[in-house]
Amino acid sequence: VFRFAQSIVEAVHKLKDWKLLLVSLFYSLVIHFVTIIFFYVVFLAFSYEINFYVLMVANALISLTIIIPTTPGRIGTFEAVWAAVFYLL
C-alpha cells in the first residue's frame, strides 16, 4: 500500500513539469484522433456516411466509460456503452 501511495505522489510531482505535461497531452490527443479516424474508416468501409464531428462526440462518450465501475471479469459495462453509442449513430 505504501509503495502504491508513493507512486501516486511521484506521478503528481511529475505533473509540475510543464514540458512533460504538454508532451503527454499531445500524445493523448494523437491517440484519440487516430481512434476517431479508425472509426471513420470502418464506417466508410460499410458504406455508412457519418459526420466526423459526430464521431468525435462518440469517442468522448466512449472514453467516459472508464469511470463506470466494472463488473467482475470486466464484461458488460464497456461493451454496453459502445453498443448504445454506435446504435444511436
Side-chain angles (χ1 to χ4, degrees), residues 17-32:
D17 182 11
W18 284 99
K19 183 179 177 184
L20 183 61
L21 184 63
L22 289 176
V23 169
S24 298
L25 180 63
F26 173 75
Y27 283 133
S28 177
L29 292 174
V30 167
I31 289 170
H32 282 287

Side-chain angles (χ1 to χ4, degrees), residues 10-83:
E10 289 175 7
V12 170
H13 283 289
K14 288 181 182 179
L15 288 178
K16 291 181 181 179
D17 182 11
W18 284 99
K19 183 179 177 184
L20 183 61
L21 184 63
L22 289 176
V23 169
S24 298
L25 180 63
F26 173 75
Y27 283 133
S28 177
L29 292 174
V30 167
I31 289 170
H32 282 287
F33 188 70
V34 168
T35 303
I36 293 167
I37 290 176
F38 171 75
F39 286 136
Y40 188 72
V41 169
V42 169
F43 274 98
L44 289 179
F46 286 102
S47 300
Y48 188 82
E49 289 292 325
I50 190 161
N51 190 343
F52 191 76
Y53 297 111
V54 171
L55 281 178
M56 290 175 67
V57 172
N59 186 51
L61 291 173
I62 290 169
S63 295
L64 287 175
T65 60
I66 295 169
I67 62 174
I68 298 173
T70 58
T71 58
R74 297 189 49 92
I75 297 175
T77 55
F78 193 69
E79 290 80 6
V81 173
W82 276 62

